[in-house]
Amino acid sequence: MPAAVPASAADKPAVTLSKSEAGAGGSLTVTGKGWRPKALLMLLICGQSAPGRGVIGGTNSCANGDGRAVTTDGDGEFSRKLPVAEPPEPCPCVVHVATVTGEQAAADAVLKVAGHPVEPLPEQDGAGKLSVLTDTRLEGSSGILTWFGAPPGRQLVFTVGNVGSAPVKDPVFQVGTSHGVFAPQWEEQQWRGTIAPGKKARIKLPVELAAGAHGDYAVSLRFGGKVLAEQPWGVGRPWGVTLFWILLFVVVPSAVFRIGMAIVDRIRPRAPGGGGRHRGVHLLDITVRLPRLGLQRTPSGPPSATGTASTGTWVGRPRTEEAGGGPAPTATTTLPWFTPDTDPGAPAGRLSAPSELSAPPQNSPTTKGNT
């Protein structure tokens, strides 16, 4: 006959086991009711736990590799077969059922794992009780490394008071971080000190997220199996990582392209007498060199006493001077009627034209024909 082991009161989520004792390698059926409809639950076998105190070491005390997940129906009930495995911590053991998404809820049912060692739970002074007196807040800021994906970290600051009748020494808190609809991941943080009855203390606990974390997170504080406070935490996106990838996809292809072009430019054959591929066409190489016209004076008047003409006209001649060379000799052609008279009987220095080309004198007699 199944042993019913209720985990909590009737108005809260409850868990019932088909067996109160089972050995490693066996299995049992876990039945639950009073849960939120369509809720996703996680079922684990945990050591060093008790229904009144919860899982003292957190999920590190549970056989996580053999856990199972289940979703409740429309009435908030479920039934799931669970394999029995030895947890990493000694018993007393429980079957721990907790929500994965949405509102937090948990329930435990006692299970004796046959052959697994048993040790007493750590002592707890029930007379001392802590209560959060002020709102929690997160202190600190992210450094430049967080902008490039380093784990963001803060300090959870709060003030607690001892409302019990006995002092509380070195209390152990559990700090959980959750993202979106997922349940918190708890981590134990011990505060060193003693809080006397009726006294209060300001406590700071470190909180750190995973590398590259961004988005909306929630930080939860739990003590003695009871959640004391929650604090939202908005984590900015590590834009440095985004910038790094953008530069990587821009700079690396550009560098590879330039290296490839340099290799191609080095190994390709050269044109005869040509330079590199960046050689341009100079303007002086295509400029048409036009000849410059020079003027030469040609004598045209009566010769002077030295035998040269005193007047003349300028005639054009091409200049064939080149840079670095002198002027080339120019050949001048003199018209025949300006050639000096070579007749021995003519006066010296007188210019005359051939008789067949000269005009007749004005005072010469007119030759008449025969009458």
Side-chain angles (χ1 to χ4, degrees), residues 103-121:
E103 184 181 355
Q104 300 177 12
D108 299 325
V110 176
L111 174 66
K112 183 178 180 180
V113 180
H116 194 62
V118 179
E119 293 184 4
L121 296 176

Side-chain angles (χ1 to χ4, degrees), residues 55-352:
V55 181
I56 296 177
T59 55
N60 292 332
S61 302
C62 304
N64 297 308
D66 296 289
R68 293 294 184 266
V70 65
T71 302
T72 59
D73 57 17
D75 298 328
E77 299 179 356
F78 71 90
S79 179
R80 185 73 162 89
K81 193 173 183 179
L82 178 67
V84 178
E86 294 186 1
E89 297 292 337
C91 287
C93 300
V94 298
V95 173
H96 179 71
V97 182
T99 55
V100 178
T101 60
E103 184 181 355
Q104 300 177 12
D108 299 325
V110 176
L111 174 66
K112 183 178 180 180
V113 180
H116 194 62
V118 179
E119 293 184 4
L121 296 176
E123 295 183 3
Q124 183 183 28
D125 189 357
K129 296 182 181 180
L130 298 180
S131 177
V132 176
L133 304 179
T134 60
D135 293 337
T136 58
R137 66 178 183 275
L138 294 172
E139 291 185 352
S141 60
S142 301
I144 188 65
L145 295 180
T146 306
W147 205 63
F148 290 93
R154 294 290 189 275
Q155 280 191 332
L156 180 64
V157 181
F158 56 95
T159 301
V160 295
N162 187 353
V163 296
S165 58
V168 177
K169 183 180 180 180
D170 299 337
V172 177
F173 297 92
Q174 289 182 328
V175 179
T177 55
S178 60
H179 180 55
V181 297
F182 294 98
Q185 300 295 323
W186 299 100
E187 181 181 357
E188 292 186 352
Q189 300 282 351
Q190 187 174 21
W191 181 77
R192 297 293 181 178
T194 302
I195 305 176
K199 301 295 182 180
K200 61 182 180 179
R202 188 168 183 263
I203 298 176
K204 294 183 178 180
L205 300 177
V207 183
E208 186 175 88
L209 300 179
H214 62 277
D216 296 329
Y217 283 79
V219 180
S220 303
L221 177 66
R222 186 167 69 178
F223 178 76
K226 180 181 179 181
V227 178
L228 302 180
E230 288 187 356
Q231 177 66 35
W233 183 8
V235 184
R237 181 180 294 273
W239 291 108
V241 178
T242 306
L243 179 62
F244 169 78
W245 285 110
I246 292 175
L247 293 179
L248 183 65
F249 283 108
V250 171
V251 174
V252 172
S254 301
V256 172
F257 174 77
R258 292 182 64 87
I259 293 174
M261 292 304 297
I263 295 175
V264 171
D265 187 57
R266 183 175 293 274
I267 66 177
R268 71 174 182 177
R270 302 278 183 174
R277 65 183 179 92
H278 296 291
R279 176 180 174 86
V281 179
H282 297 283
L283 184 61
L284 296 178
D285 296 340
I286 61 175
T287 303
V288 179
R289 295 185 178 274
L290 299 177
R292 289 180 290 179
L293 298 178
L295 297 179
Q296 180 183 1
R297 192 177 185 85
T298 303
S300 60
S304 61
T306 60
T308 61
S310 58
T311 61
T313 59
W314 292 98
V315 297
R317 66 179 178 86
R319 299 187 62 181
T320 59
E321 314 168 347
E322 297 294 339
T330 305
T332 306
T333 303
T334 307
L335 296 178
W337 51 83
F338 292 110
T339 304
D341 193 357
T342 56
D343 188 359
R350 181 179 177 182
L351 299 175
S352 63

Side-chain angles (χ1 to χ4, degrees), residues 3-21:
V5 185
S8 57
D11 58 341
K12 293 183 179 180
V15 176
T16 302
L17 305 180
S18 61
K19 299 178 182 179
S20 60
E21 181 178 356

